Amino acid sequence: MKVLFVSGELAPFAKVGGLADVAAALPPALFELGADIRIIIPRYGIIDSGKYPMEKILSGIEVEFKGEKNKINLFQAVLPGGSVMVYLIENERYLSKGGVYLSEDASSCGNEAEFERFGFFTVSVLEILKNLEWQPQIIHCNDWHTGLLPLLAPKNFRTITTIHNLAYQGRYREEIVLSALDKDKKIFHPKDGHIIALREAILNSGLINTVSLAYAKEILTEEFGCGLEKDLETRKKDLSGILNGLDINLFNPETDTDIFRNFSVNNISAREENKARLQKILGFAEDKNIPIFGFVGRLTEQKGFDILIPALEEMLGENTQIVILGSGDKNYEEKLTAFARKNFAAKISLNFKFDTGLAQKIYSGSDFFLVPSRFEPCGLIQMIAMRYGAVPIARRTGGLRDTVINYIEPDGNGIVFEKYDIKDLLEALKKAMEIYQEKEKLLILRKNGMAVDFSWRKSAMKYFELYQKLIFTR
Ligand code: ADP
């Protein structure tokens, strides 16, 4: 089973969100199951070649793009901590300057410049395949970045696309794509003068899957389909949902070097030190009787800020501490800043940056984790939170529905609310405050979360089955 896994993000080389985590954890799990899987990404400017040793294996390969000949080089590295090979394509003009996206949160995916980067990456992958001795049977594409690959790939390759988030589609003006790729318009499925990369992936991939069972069903509806529900409907029998796992070696409270004190479900009291030290570094009162509510993630509408900010405003009257780590939409940064400044500067800590070390400290020191998403394909933060003993407060949608089980004594691992509105979220927050006063209940909740098996193994087996289906039945 030879698979080329094509991704726009890959941890730890270049990470913005969950796609990077999945790209770093799923291939090693498939490798363990016997697949010869290799990853290919752009060699972005931010990738530190001092930190990640790499070797140039191909140079000066020509790629036609926008009517011009461009040269690319191919580097080879090993995914840290494992044996999976990573290919990195270098090209100064389109791929190798700066970070992954023009924006901080992937929302720039419809820009012409973004098309140039990922359109160029797509055709470069195909050129690399012409020059590489190793040949995959399957090209595993991910999200809009690689949306045109299933359409453009020669038919001897089988293709599968994983949709990590349907909201980001790569919607480009038709003439931009047509002039860059020098292809006949007839092979595309333009809509309102636009070619939509993710739509092409949906219509052209051998198989399609998304990152939870619940989201696979939701995206067939108008509410969650982001305008692509009818296209997905035509591919319904080839569409499936496989829940993401976590890299349980990386996200491991027993060994994590980013946290203040390691702990496990068997010595959970050691966790308290993480809370105390987190309070200290954030400038909070060092009081173990005050619950900390944490959030880590992209600041986007998806993550629920429109209900979270007003709900927090009411909550902060209570004895609470709130820490937010994230970057993205400046609008939400301003709203959060205004609200923190207005009232309760000492109780809320805002950190508008990307900081993996701080993220781990928040997971290990918070009591509760805020996941009020409007929609959530899978979501990793609730799983990481649970693994580190923080109790998620989550809306029942997408992957949150599949992973967070509402606490009804003695079962459950989180607090779940149904509707995307302030009232339901506030009720959930109040329930959290009540549970916080009943230490035994809280301990049960923490332990239930920490006991869940979040490893990739089960899910990787399902991907393996999809690969088999692609090879043997298509
Ligand atoms: P999404 O894929 O929608 O961004 P997920 O919950 O699936 O959301 O994954 C988010 C991942 O990115 C998690 O590993 C989270 O810890 C990490 N992350 C997001 N924002 C930050 C940040 N500002 N600093 C550190 N890690 C972050």
Side-chain angles (χ1 to χ4, degrees):
M1 185 83 75
K2 289 188 182 154
V3 185
L4 184 65
F5 190 91
V6 193
S7 181
E9 292 186 30
L10 175 64
F13 295 88
K15 168 164 164 172
V16 177
L19 171 61
D21 291 326
V22 176
L26 172 59
L30 283 158
F31 186 85
E32 288 276 300
L33 295 177
D36 178 2
I37 183 162
R38 304 181 185 190
I39 304 168
I40 191 162
I41 60 169
R43 185 183 175 183
Y44 300 111
I46 48 157
I47 296 178
D48 183 350
S49 56
K51 212 160 154 193
Y52 310 112
M54 51 183 82
E55 177 197 353
K56 194 191 269 189
I57 55 165
L58 292 173
S59 56
I61 293 173
E62 261 183 21
V63 176
E64 282 255 350
F65 195 71
K66 290 177 81 175
E68 291 167 359
K69 289 191 180 5
N70 299 269
K71 293 244 181 349
I72 56 171
N73 302 316
L74 188 68
F75 289 77
Q76 181 180 304
V78 174
L79 191 64
S83 0
V84 173
M85 198 184 285
V86 181
Y87 294 121
L88 302 102
I89 305 181
E90 180 183 69
N91 171 269
E92 266 317 302
R93 181 158 178 200
Y94 294 116
L95 303 179
S96 303
K97 283 200 197 101
V100 180
Y101 307 110
L102 297 170
S103 60
E104 281 180 56
D105 64 350
S107 58
S108 54
C109 66
N111 284 349
E112 184 172 347
E114 219 67 277
F115 168 70
E116 287 187 347
R117 170 161 284 184
F118 292 105
F120 185 79
F121 175 55
T122 298
V123 286
S124 296
V125 169
L126 295 174
E127 278 318 309
I128 293 291
L129 284 174
K130 287 186 201 155
N131 287 273
L132 208 59
E133 207 174 301
W134 179 83
Q135 291 290 299
Q137 296 151 294
I138 293 173
I139 304 179
H140 188 151
C141 304
N142 292 279
D143 271 354
W144 58 275
H145 319 69
T146 57
L148 301 179
L149 200 41
L151 170 67
L152 301 178
K155 297 299 164 229
N156 53 315
F157 297 112
R158 307 292 158 96
T159 54
I160 169 168
T161 291
T162 300
I163 301 171
H164 300 263
N165 193 331
L166 196 66
Y168 301 107
Q169 299 182 355
R171 189 170 188 275
Y172 311 116
R173 279 190 294 120
E174 201 177 286
E175 51 283 11
I176 293 175
V177 179
L178 296 176
S179 67
L181 299 182
D182 189 27
K183 295 280 176 204
D184 189 341
K185 185 176 164 182
K186 280 204 230 74
I187 67 167
F188 297 97
H189 306 80
K191 208 172 167 180
D192 310 324
H194 287 80
I195 288 171
I196 304 168
L198 194 61
R199 177 165 193 245
E200 296 298 339
I202 290 167
L203 297 174
N204 292 293
S205 296
L207 291 174
I208 313 150
N209 81 296
T210 184
V211 289
S212 66
L213 275 171
Y215 193 59
K217 286 194 193 125
E218 286 172 353
I219 57 178
L220 293 169
T221 66
E222 205 182 326
E223 185 184 354
F224 294 97
C226 304
L228 298 182
E229 59 278 6
K230 294 208 173 71
D231 300 307
L232 285 161
E233 187 66 38
T234 66
R235 300 297 318 272
K236 203 171 162 182
K237 71 173 188 1
D238 297 319
L239 170 67
S240 57
I242 303 177
L243 192 69
N244 283 335
L246 273 188
D247 182 336
I248 55 168
N249 297 320
L250 189 68
F251 294 110
N252 184 353
E254 287 183 69
T255 54
D256 193 330
T257 52
D258 278 323
I259 67 177
F260 294 113
R261 175 142 179 220
N262 293 116
F263 62 98
S264 73
V265 72
N266 299 321
N267 73 334
I268 217 164
S269 57
R271 192 180 188 276
E272 282 172 22
E273 189 177 329
N274 289 297
K275 173 168 173 177
R277 307 250 322 247
L278 179 67
Q279 285 175 318
K280 193 175 172 107
I281 61 166
L282 298 179
F284 286 160
E286 284 168 60
D287 183 341
K288 66 177 186 187
N289 294 317
I290 303 179
I292 303 182
F293 292 75
F295 171 86
V296 175
R298 295 175 300 114
L299 302 183
T300 60
E301 195 223 344
Q302 172 193 342
K303 300 294 174 186
F305 286 95
D306 294 328
I307 59 170
L308 185 61
I309 297 173
L312 288 183
E313 194 130 15
E314 279 202 37
M315 268 284 291
L316 278 177
E318 314 251 358
N319 216 5
T320 49
Q321 295 172 340
I322 289 151
V323 49
I324 289 178
L325 168 63
S327 58
D329 192 334
K330 293 281 172 272
N331 212 356
Y332 290 120
E333 286 189 15
E334 280 162 23
K335 280 190 182 156
L336 284 163
T337 308
F339 135 76
R341 206 176 281 141
K342 202 165 64 193
N343 309 303
F344 318 96
K347 289 183 176 177
I348 175 158
S349 165
L350 300 176
N351 307 272
F352 301 135
K353 58 180 175 178
F354 193 92
D355 184 341
T356 314
L358 180 58
Q360 298 314 107
K361 291 178 182 68
I362 297 175
Y363 288 121
S364 64
S366 297
D367 296 293
F368 297 100
F369 235 74
L370 301 161
V371 208
S373 303
R374 198 171 69 72
F375 68 95
E376 195 58 76
C378 175
L380 296 177
I381 70 165
Q382 80 281 11
M383 296 196 234
I384 306 172
M386 283 190 244
R387 192 151 160 75
Y388 283 78
V391 177
I393 299 170
R395 173 154 181 258
R396 199 191 299 278
T397 182
L400 302 175
R401 184 187 282 270
D402 293 352
T403 52
V404 186
I405 301 160
N406 195 29
Y407 177 63
I408 296 172
E409 223 176 326
D411 298 318
N413 52 30
I415 298 167
V416 177
F417 67 100
E418 199 70 42
K419 277 209 262 62
Y420 186 71
D421 64 23
I422 300 166
K423 185 175 147 283
D424 273 28
L425 172 56
L426 253 179
E427 262 167 38
L429 292 172
K430 291 205 173 113
K431 189 165 162 199
M433 294 298 283
E434 280 163 28
I435 289 174
Y436 191 74
Q437 301 310 325
E438 297 182 62
K439 295 286 179 262
E440 264 160 42
K441 284 190 183 172
L442 186 64
L443 189 63
I444 291 172
L445 261 169
R446 281 200 210 292
K447 285 190 172 169
N448 287 353
M450 289 183 81
V452 180
D453 175 10
F454 288 118
S455 74
W456 263 104
R457 201 181 153 73
K458 264 184 292 170
S459 297
M461 278 159 72
K462 292 188 183 144
Y463 274 97
F464 206 91
E465 282 163 19
L466 284 189
Y467 291 165
Q468 282 172 327
K469 188 168 161 190
L470 257 185
I471 292 180
F472 298 117
T473 63
R474 302 276 117 174

